[in-house]
Amino acid sequence: MTESTTATATGAADLVTLPKAELHLHIEGTLEPELVFELARRNQVSLPFESVEALRAQHEFEDLQSFLNLYYDCMAVLQTREDFEELGLAYLRRAARDGVRHAEIFFDPQAHTTRGVDINDVIDGLLDALRIAGEESGMTGGLILCVLRDSPVDEALATIESIADRAGDLVGVGLDSAEVGYPPSLFVTVFDRARELGLHVVAHAGEEGPAEYVWEALDLLKVERIDHGIRSLDDDLLVERLRESAMPLTVCPLSNIRLGATTHMAAHPLPQMLEQGLVVTINSDDPAYFGGYVGENFAQLRDTFALSAAQLARLAQNSITGSFASAERKQELLDDVQAWLATAGAGEDN
Ligand code: ADE
Ligand code: ZN
């Protein structure tokens, strides 16, 4: 990255008006404790937590698995198409307030179908939310079906087959859940099928797992973005490959801190990733659990690393060019970022 790293003149309002795309967001990770309790009451699900406060007190994690345990427990309250619409709309409205103009939303169908929920209710509820948000604020976006890497490969294949006749309602297929011990190479057949259906493909890799998993996601799954990818910095050859191919990395700083991949924001590898010329985007992952939506991720990075308006604009541009939006939509949003930079960057010495 060539932009100046000198102190920033941008304020909180500027960050909110910076047009951005969110590319790494698990809709089930936006389930706020208040909504958990409301849906539990509505759907008569008994919860192992006494109160909203008691649930929020559980938001202390040692690693990815300790988070996933709570994440899967809480989603038991999601049962109907309306539940998924409400969840999706709550996120999209919140994201719009952070300047998100395009959102590509992950969902974990196996975590619902194994509880007896119809995958079509999940998809239709989330599509309802995207349609309403589009009408309300002009937000665009789509859905990325994630398969769970710590569940059987056959189950993942069956999940893809179950949506084959409506693949056009989705944007892509991703790979998530517990990473270590579940390499991308296990899922070649699943990703071959997803690409055959005309879907884009992405995968979590190099979050807790090694750089080798990033190589596998690139070479075997033929992904178009790497989700997280922070461990790529361990491997110079991989960094070169990511830079040369301008592969977008969907980095989630607050998630990395809360799950122990990074001790604190000042230790986050974002500056090194930018220095190495990687196409980094900033995202919130599971914001209800990790202490902030995408605006908070941007704000903490800016405050910690004194990011300039030009650097912030670069991160936003990366999210737009790295998205699966149409060429016209990308151009519209890129023009808006340029307009933002003309104002926000005016007082800076870069
Ligand atoms: N599912 C939800 N959040 C996740 C994360 N950070 N890593 C892997 N799988 C996830
Ligand atoms: Zn994630």
Side-chain angles (χ1 to χ4, degrees):
M1 186 158 191
T2 54
E3 285 87 5
S4 161
T5 54
T6 54
T8 171
T10 60
D14 295 324
L15 276 181
V16 168
T17 55
L18 173 61
K20 49 185 89 64
E22 181 146 54
L23 306 180
H24 187 155
L25 180 283
H26 302 263
I27 200 63
E28 298 90 346
T30 69
L31 192 47
E32 294 284 351
E34 289 78 5
L35 188 55
V36 171
F37 273 80
E38 192 183 320
L39 293 176
R41 214 168 21 250
R42 190 195 295 168
N43 294 328
Q44 295 171 346
V45 174
S46 69
L47 290 170
F49 322 102
E50 288 215 327
S51 63
V52 165
E53 295 69 35
L55 171 51
R56 199 160 260 126
Q58 304 285 308
H59 289 185
E60 295 286 338
F61 310 111
E62 280 170 12
D63 53 17
L64 176 57
Q65 188 61 60
S66 66
F67 155 69
L68 291 171
N69 295 339
L70 185 66
Y71 169 81
Y72 291 123
D73 278 354
C74 285
M75 59 176 91
V77 301
L78 291 164
Q79 299 195 348
T80 66
R81 172 173 174 165
E82 290 69 31
D83 297 342
F84 285 94
E85 176 190 319
E86 188 171 339
L87 180 70
L89 203 47
Y91 160 68
L92 289 164
R93 287 175 174 155
R94 178 69 187 75
R97 294 203 299 276
D98 276 359
V100 173
R101 306 270 302 276
H102 179 85
E104 293 176 4
I105 296 176
F106 293 146
F107 68 108
D108 286 332
Q110 290 156 276
H112 310 302
T113 54
T114 51
R115 300 182 288 108
V117 176
D118 186 334
I119 193 169
N120 293 299
D121 285 342
V122 181
I123 294 173
D124 288 331
L126 295 175
L127 288 176
D128 288 341
L130 278 163
R131 180 181 42 76
I132 295 167
E135 289 163 5
E136 282 181 357
S137 67
M139 175 89 76
T140 53
L143 302 178
I144 298 179
L145 181 163
C146 285
V147 296
L148 304 183
R149 66 204 306 159
D150 52 353
S151 289
V153 175
D154 285 353
E155 191 181 290
L157 256 183
T159 303
I160 301 291
E161 251 2 288
S162 75
I163 57 84
D165 63 350
R166 61 176 309 188
D169 287 335
L170 304 178
V171 165
V173 165
L175 180 67
D176 68 1
S177 206
E179 184 180 13
V180 175
Y182 303 99
S185 51
L186 294 171
F187 290 88
V188 169
T189 51
V190 177
F191 276 63
D192 281 350
R193 181 68 178 130
R195 281 186 279 99
E196 198 175 278
L197 289 170
L199 291 164
H200 290 288
V201 289
V202 300
H204 283 55
E207 179 183 16
E208 281 186 344
E212 179 58 29
Y213 286 14
V214 179
W215 282 110
E216 286 190 11
L218 295 171
D219 290 336
L220 303 180
L221 304 188
K222 302 180 175 34
V223 297
E224 297 158 79
R225 295 196 297 250
I226 294 288
D227 296 314
H228 292 295
I230 56 173
R231 296 283 305 276
S232 304
L233 292 178
D234 298 343
D235 180 338
D236 291 344
L237 216 56
L238 176 57
V239 169
E240 195 179 319
R241 163 77 178 272
L242 293 168
R243 179 176 51 242
E244 305 274 290
S245 58
M247 179 64 55
L249 303 177
T250 63
V251 174
C252 307
L254 286 173
S255 165
N256 296 148
I257 293 167
R258 297 295 280 264
L259 300 186
T262 305
T263 51
H264 57 295
M265 196 56 89
H268 195 276
L270 178 94
Q272 292 92 295
M273 299 180 92
L274 294 177
E275 249 149 55
Q276 300 268 14
L278 297 177
V279 180
V280 177
T281 71
I282 302 303
N283 308 271
S284 66
D285 207 3
D286 301 284
Y289 293 88
F290 299 153
Y293 286 73
V294 72
E296 183 65 20
N297 278 270
F298 267 89
Q300 291 199 24
L301 286 172
R302 181 204 47 191
D303 294 347
T304 304
F305 298 116
L307 298 181
S308 66
Q311 287 176 310
L312 294 165
R314 166 65 59 197
L315 292 167
Q317 284 160 350
N318 289 347
S319 72
I320 294 159
T321 56
S323 78
F324 301 132
S326 68
E328 297 74 31
R329 179 65 171 154
K330 285 186 186 184
Q331 195 53 57
E332 180 180 31
L333 294 174
L334 289 171
D335 290 347
D336 288 350
V337 174
Q338 275 312 116
W340 177 90
L341 186 56
T343 308
E348 295 192 11
D349 59 350
N350 56 12

